[in-house]
Amino acid sequence: MEYNHIFMKRAYEIAEELIQYRRHFHQNPEVGMNTTSTAAFVAEKLEEMGYDPQLVNECGVTATVGKSEGKVLLLRADMDALPMQEDSGLEFASQVPGAAHCCGHDLHTAMLLGAARILKEEESSLEGTVKLMFQPAEENMQGARAMIQAGILENPTVDAAMAIHVNSIAVCGRLLVFAGPTCASSDLFKITIKGHGGHGARPEETVDPLNVMAHIHTALQELQARELRAGETGVLTIGCMKGGSTYNVIPNDAVMMGTIRTYNKEIREMLITRMQEIATGVAKVFRAEAAVVFSDNYTIPLVSDKDMAVFAVDSLKNILPEEQVLPMRKSFPGSEDFAFIADKVPTLFIVLGATIQKGVEYGQHHPKVRFNEECLPVGAATYAYLASEWLRNNK
């Protein structure tokens, strides 16, 4: 397809460079906060472009482009891979056992490097500052918080932010622009039930934690059935129930594990509070004890700014065919730690289609998933163009 805008043209001119970046990241995945080699590679490439990149905790990178006067827009790319084994069959598949870019973060990092090149080349035309944020640990939902704590939203102070996430099912090159509630919160919890074990033939001498566990599981269903308003979304799922090891012995303890998802911060807080009250209260009724522990791998709901979404849809139609840009009014249950940025400043979140072909069966996080590299120039140009336009419209 022929594109007329200078940013899009330039993105296609450097398409091979973007592919090489992406394949380097794909072959050399790093997990969690251990993205030091990826960060060093990104910093090296930014330096070659004329930037003065700064490492953040050795596993993240930031840099700025533009002029000091005016607003500041942050562009985010996540760099971490998943702790899993790849089975894609690609010639440039992961060379690291137990780590793989099966979510597309390698494409995100390559696209933002491409945008960085375009923005640096067009720096004199920028009417404000673009701050680049290459973050670790999105998958375990700790990276954005670490970057915020390290001052990513300060010096210069960020006024708004934007992120793109690829999708292996959506049509390649199509941009889905979200407005309002976008990604669900994610809270992981473990309930440990302490009873008093004994022989199965003499249950009266025991406090059966398995019985308590069953009653807690049933009671938790009432949260969705009776404590959420009609139309409000809140999910509490128990994914693991363990206790005992044989036929005729009542164990001393049992364990439940699960997750809470919602699109509303107040509902999230209510579900967290009530599930703890139910777990401990039900256990007490049956003479047991229950302790609830939440994982530090959590995130809050991601809410996309509606005004920024309108701006993005209107602007992108200047550089892309109208049918390639779709406003989205619905959310999806996946979680994204960019939510912590969105909680601080107005934020734009866009999904970029990267399907290999129509009807592809493998989605994100599947060991066989593949992404279409033809989306890379679209992503790079979208980052750069929207940043430039937002600054021009928000002097």
Side-chain angles (χ1 to χ4, degrees), residues 54 71 138 257 272 307 346:
Q54 304 297 314
K71 300 284 188 179
E138 190 283 324
M257 293 188 287
I272 289 173
D307 291 338

Side-chain angles (χ1 to χ4, degrees), residues 270-329:
M270 182 276 284
L271 289 173
I272 289 173
T273 298
R274 288 292 292 131
M275 69 84 59
Q276 293 179 89
E277 292 173 348
I278 288 171
T280 56
V282 170
K284 186 175 182 180
V285 165
F286 292 99
R287 300 175 295 129
E289 297 178 4
V292 182
V293 176
F294 281 86
S295 169
D296 191 46
N297 295 355
Y298 75 94
T299 188
I300 59 179
L302 192 161
V303 180
S304 298
D305 184 80
K306 293 181 179 179
D307 291 338
M308 288 191 72
V310 171
F311 150 77
V313 170
D314 291 343
S315 299
L316 287 169
K317 290 176 181 177
N318 295 325
I319 65 170
L320 291 165
E322 187 169 344
E323 65 272 13
Q324 202 167 329
V325 183
L326 298 180
M328 298 296 291
R329 294 289 180 260

Side-chain angles (χ1 to χ4, degrees), residues 7 12 30 47 49 70 75 87 102 131 152 156 169 265 268 278 280 291 293 328 333 337 340 351 368-369:
F7 282 17
Y12 274 92
E30 295 181 296
E47 285 181 353
M49 297 175 195
L75 301 179
D87 188 26
C102 293
K131 178 178 277 192
I152 192 67
I169 304 297
K265 287 175 67 176
R268 171 180 175 262
I278 288 171
T280 56
V293 176
M328 298 296 291
D337 88 337
F340 292 108
V351 167
K368 292 182 180 292
V369 68

Side-chain angles (χ1 to χ4, degrees), residues 237-288:
T237 295
I238 299 296
C240 175
M241 301 174 72
K242 296 191 297 186
S245 59
T246 191
Y247 305 98
N248 61 344
V249 176
I250 294 172
N252 285 313
D253 48 45
V255 172
M256 307 169 69
M257 293 188 287
T259 183
I260 293 173
R261 305 288 176 110
T262 184
Y263 301 104
N264 182 296
K265 287 175 67 176
E266 289 71 30
I267 296 299
R268 171 180 175 262
E269 292 169 2
M270 182 276 284
L271 289 173
I272 289 173
T273 298
R274 288 292 292 131
M275 69 84 59
Q276 293 179 89
E277 292 173 348
I278 288 171
T280 56
V282 170
K284 186 175 182 180
V285 165
F286 292 99
R287 300 175 295 129

Side-chain angles (χ1 to χ4, degrees), residues 7 65 73-75 115 119 126-132 162 311 348 381-394:
F7 282 17
V65 59
L73 179 73
L74 181 145
L75 301 179
L119 289 167
L126 297 179
E127 300 188 36
T129 299
V130 178
K131 178 178 277 192
L132 308 175
M162 170 187 166
F311 150 77
L348 176 64
T382 297
Y383 267 133
Y385 177 70
L386 287 182
S388 176
E389 283 295 289
W390 189 88
L391 292 175
R392 186 176 67 83
N393 285 279
N394 292 273

Side-chain angles (χ1 to χ4, degrees), residues 1-20 110-111 113-115 117-119 121 171-175 316 319-321 324 352-354 372-385:
M1 184 175 290
E2 188 70 26
Y3 295 107
N4 296 318
H5 193 275
I6 183 173
F7 282 17
M8 193 64 75
K9 282 185 173 180
R10 185 62 179 132
Y12 274 92
E13 288 173 357
I14 62 173
E16 284 302 315
E17 181 179 313
L18 303 183
I19 290 172
Q20 293 307 310
M111 289 188 298
L113 279 176
R117 180 175 294 284
I118 295 169
L119 289 167
E121 293 170 352
V171 175
C172 185
R174 181 170 289 173
L175 295 165
L316 287 169
I319 65 170
L320 291 165
Q324 202 167 329
L352 171 60
N372 195 330
E373 293 175 331
E374 291 181 10
C375 75
L376 291 170
V378 176
T382 297
Y383 267 133
Y385 177 70

